[in-house]
Amino acid sequence: FIKMKKSLFVSIVMLFVSITVNAQDYKKQSFIPEADMPDAGIYLPAPPDTASYQFDYDFRQYWWGRKMRENKERAAQAKFDANFDVDSVLVGFAPSFGMLITPEKTPETYKLMCMIGIDGNHAVDRAKAKYMRKRPFAQFHEHTLQPQFEAELINNGSYPSGHTCRGWIFGLTLTELNPSRGNEIMKHAYEYGQSRVICGYHYQSDVDAGRLCASVGYAAVHSSEGFQKQMAKAKKEIAKILTANKK
């Protein structure tokens, strides 16, 4: 009998651990396989050559970004926007969305955002690997607004911007969840991308390409059954909170 109780206890503990682990699996999952994501290395043109007229615009925007660092409030936002983890990005979107999305308060929506974030990564990764564009701080031998990330990112392709793709695909997703706040949400999504120019980690063309990748990626993901089901759960969850807040 004692052995049975011990065995049952162990089984319950193992089940709990399994459930806990499985509950976090979605943080590494995407809605569609990376192979099914349109390849930005194919549909995007190559980044501007340093001798081109297009690069002249990148160069001017680089100096615009440096000038914007003198604005303490905008510089502080750019620094915060450099955080790539889901929780930080959602904190940044909270004022425009109208609430903070957390795994405790809005688990279905949080799962949706984690998974769409992985799809966003897949939308840019192959183009980054193909073009391996040198980042502006490396090109000009200058420090960024956040030097602590330079060693990590100097060997990571600049084009397209992964941060920008994440911000834009999050913006599109959150706008679908709460369309009444669409203007505010997408304004923040736009500024999130511009923060990369201000930080000095990306050229403007990297940022512009990141937005395009996010839009293409979102369209591809939107047709998946898994996304549609999770979006329906998240919409129901958010609608319930918005209705309660109006009372």
Side-chain angles (χ1 to χ4, degrees), residues 58-181:
D58 273 345
F59 182 73
R60 291 174 185 273
Q61 282 297 98
Y62 174 74
W63 283 97
W64 166 83
R66 285 195 49 156
K67 184 69 174 177
M68 289 300 294
R69 297 180 200 178
E70 298 174 11
N71 182 320
K72 292 183 179 180
E73 184 178 348
R74 188 61 184 89
Q77 180 187 335
K79 283 184 176 182
F80 182 80
D81 288 344
N83 294 308
F84 194 75
D85 63 284
V86 172
D87 298 279
S88 294
V89 180
L90 291 175
V91 167
F93 271 106
S96 59
F97 185 65
M99 72 179 77
L100 176 61
I101 295 168
T102 67
E104 295 79 23
K105 183 180 178 182
T106 51
E108 298 296 348
T109 308
Y110 186 79
K111 179 179 179 180
L112 173 72
M113 302 311 295
C114 286
M115 292 183 67
I116 200 68
I118 300 298
D119 285 297
N121 294 344
H122 292 167
V124 299
D125 282 349
R126 282 175 285 179
K128 275 180 170 287
K130 176 181 179 178
Y131 294 117
M132 280 304 295
R133 187 186 196 185
K134 186 180 291 188
R135 290 177 183 263
F137 75 88
Q139 183 74 41
F140 300 124
H141 304 287
E142 296 182 337
H143 283 300
T144 65
L145 194 57
Q146 290 187 303
Q148 68 269 29
F149 298 130
E150 291 173 9
E152 175 187 352
L153 295 178
I154 196 168
N155 295 316
N156 179 271
S158 188
Y159 177 91
S161 166
H163 272 77
T164 301
C165 183
R166 169 162 291 207
W168 200 254
I169 205 168
F170 271 33
L172 293 173
T173 308
L174 293 172
T175 296
E176 185 165 347
L177 286 168
N178 191 8
S180 66
R181 301 283 297 179

Side-chain angles (χ1 to χ4, degrees), residues 44-66:
L44 276 182
D49 184 86
T50 53
S52 67
Y53 288 113
Q54 291 89 343
F55 186 77
D56 182 61
Y57 176 61
D58 273 345
F59 182 73
R60 291 174 185 273
Q61 282 297 98
Y62 174 74
W63 283 97
W64 166 83
R66 285 195 49 156

